Amino acid sequence: MANGQVTIAEHRLDTEGADHLMLAGVNDQNFQELTRIFTIRVVLRGDHVVLSGDIEAVERSVPVVQHLIELTRLRAPFDTTDIPRFAESFEAGGGESMMALGEEVRIALPGSRKVISPKSDGQKRYLDAITQSDIVIGIGPAGTGKTYLAVAKAIDELYKKRVKRIILARPAVEAGENLGFLPGDLQEKVDPYLRPLYDALEDMMPVERMRRAIEDRTIEIAPLAYMRGRTLADAFVILDEAQNATTAQMKMFLTRLGLNSRVVITGDKTQVDLPRREESGLLQVERILAGIGGISIVYLDARDVIRHRLVKDIIRAYSEIAGDGD
């Protein structure tokens, strides 16, 4: 740009082998998002996508659009809401790692037509840790995929017969698990607190297959208190919302680990609902288990949020108030 004048440029990218519908998005939503982010024009012409606009904006958009083209060639799924994160990563110099995400081994779930893959550097580190470590502690804000990716990996391990069962646990009712005042029988009392785990399963498994797995206890969803006194062998075990487990509950849970089992613990340190006199078991294990072989602690932040783009801004706004960075 010189003397206030805008230099207009046009750049053509080869799309041969790419899925054009997937690339453009329904009603060209992906192209519209690129236009919103970079203030450029994006059109398909034959086997090319043409970017036009201010030369600096076009140059910034090229690696992002090339990444989308590569993803569609691999038939790797992405959403319109992923595009701002891709753009942010390239702007921050994370281009090589972003391109590598498209080459990752993806989790294909039989019967659901879903292919699940990491959508950020943090998610990639998280999935790699689950693959390589017996115990993984995933810490980060809401929307970063902590539970969703862990459940996907658990189902994948079950389908591949690497484990015999999946156990999903959560502290119920602010970790105290005092359910007596709630109406209904025990199952009706705890179901609202376990609902997010059911939702994740329903998104990845045919309903009938999920129902049979729960009935024959191949998949078990239960409050954390139900783990006491058990040995969890040949299992993929997930403890969700672990920030609301007390230190005693966390020790109890971790010592349930049996042979050929894998444990994933997820939590958000900013959402502790325990009474002030109780220390969160998640905060304690973060301190005392760091550095132990076979245990990985993975931190996710606003850059890994995969919900609506405003969620990332909301998390950052609250983090600034708390003075804790991302």
Side-chain angles (χ1 to χ4, degrees), residues 145-160:
K146 302 184 301 295
T147 304
Y148 192 83
L149 290 174
V151 171
K153 190 66 175 173
I155 294 172
D156 185 51
E157 295 281 292
L158 182 67
Y159 281 150
K160 292 176 178 175

Side-chain angles (χ1 to χ4, degrees), residues 173-210:
V173 191
E174 298 184 353
E177 308 194 16
N178 180 17
L179 306 176
F181 70 93
L182 294 173
D185 61 23
L186 182 60
Q187 193 62 43
E188 291 171 330
K189 292 174 191 288
V190 301
D191 268 358
Y193 302 96
L194 304 175
R195 187 70 248 173
L197 298 174
Y198 284 104
D199 289 343
L201 285 173
E202 289 172 357
D203 195 46
M204 300 179 203
M205 297 180 71
V207 174
E208 185 60 27
R209 182 179 292 182
M210 185 188 83

Side-chain angles (χ1 to χ4, degrees), residues 84-316:
R85 183 170 54 258
F86 295 158
E88 183 176 301
S89 182
F90 278 100
E91 292 279 348
E96 290 185 7
S97 59
M98 284 305 303
M99 295 300 286
L101 291 179
E103 302 168 3
E104 285 297 303
V105 175
R106 299 181 295 280
I107 301 172
L109 300 175
S112 70
R113 295 185 179 180
K114 272 191 172 292
V115 178
I116 297 171
S117 58
K119 295 185 177 181
S120 69
D121 290 339
Q123 290 192 352
K124 177 183 180 298
R125 286 187 284 103
Y126 182 52
L127 277 178
D128 286 346
I130 293 174
T131 300
Q132 298 163 8
S133 301
D134 291 330
I135 297 177
V136 174
I137 302 169
I139 298 174
T144 50
K146 302 184 301 295
T147 304
Y148 192 83
L149 290 174
V151 171
K153 190 66 175 173
I155 294 172
D156 185 51
E157 295 281 292
L158 182 67
Y159 281 150
K160 292 176 178 175
K161 301 187 183 302
R162 292 172 181 165
V163 295
K164 294 181 180 179
R165 54 183 174 156
I166 297 172
I167 299 173
L168 309 174
R170 254 191 172 205
V173 191
E174 298 184 353
E177 308 194 16
N178 180 17
L179 306 176
F181 70 93
L182 294 173
D185 61 23
L186 182 60
Q187 193 62 43
E188 291 171 330
K189 292 174 191 288
V190 301
D191 268 358
Y193 302 96
L194 304 175
R195 187 70 248 173
L197 298 174
Y198 284 104
D199 289 343
L201 285 173
E202 289 172 357
D203 195 46
M204 300 179 203
M205 297 180 71
V207 174
E208 185 60 27
R209 182 179 292 182
M210 185 188 83
R211 185 186 64 78
R212 288 198 307 269
I214 291 175
E215 285 181 353
D216 65 19
R217 301 184 73 79
T218 301
I219 297 177
E220 181 181 349
I221 306 175
L224 175 58
Y226 283 31
M227 300 299 105
R228 185 167 284 109
R230 303 176 60 183
T231 299
L232 307 177
D234 291 310
F236 196 113
V237 190
I238 299 172
L239 174 58
D240 194 34
E241 296 290 332
Q243 74 275 3
N244 288 329
T246 65
T247 55
Q249 288 172 328
M250 183 64 76
K251 180 181 178 183
M252 175 274 292
F253 174 77
L254 286 169
T255 53
R256 302 306 93 201
L257 182 64
L259 295 175
N260 191 40
S261 286
R262 184 159 295 175
V263 169
V264 178
I265 297 169
T266 72
D268 179 355
K269 294 193 293 183
T270 69
Q271 298 290 330
V272 177
D273 295 320
L274 290 166
R276 290 187 180 275
R277 67 180 182 276
E278 290 275 11
E279 181 184 10
S280 167
L282 179 66
L283 300 182
Q284 185 185 60
V285 296
E286 181 190 15
R287 290 196 316 270
I288 68 175
L289 300 186
I292 295 179
I295 299 178
S296 294
I297 301 178
V298 180
Y299 294 93
L300 302 165
D301 57 35
R303 291 168 293 188
D304 304 303
V305 170
I306 58 172
R307 294 180 183 170
H308 191 287
R309 62 184 178 84
L310 288 177
V311 173
K312 182 184 300 186
D313 296 331
I314 291 168
I315 289 170
R316 284 177 172 160

Side-chain angles (χ1 to χ4, degrees), residues 13-72:
L13 292 171
D14 184 10
T15 61
E16 185 177 359
D19 184 324
H20 284 188
L21 178 59
M22 186 178 178
L23 177 62
V26 178
N27 297 322
D28 289 342
Q29 287 181 344
N30 294 341
F31 286 176
Q32 291 172 22
E33 184 68 3
L34 289 165
T35 296
R36 183 190 70 81
I37 295 169
F38 296 107
T39 319
I40 59 171
R41 186 166 180 259
V42 186
V43 296
L44 271 171
R45 292 180 187 162
D47 280 337
H48 291 85
V49 62
V50 181
L51 314 174
S52 57
D54 171 42
I55 187 170
E56 292 183 5
V58 169
E59 288 176 351
R60 288 169 46 230
S61 71
V62 167
V64 179
V65 179
Q66 187 63 58
H67 181 55
L68 298 182
I69 292 170
E70 292 302 324
L71 289 176
T72 60

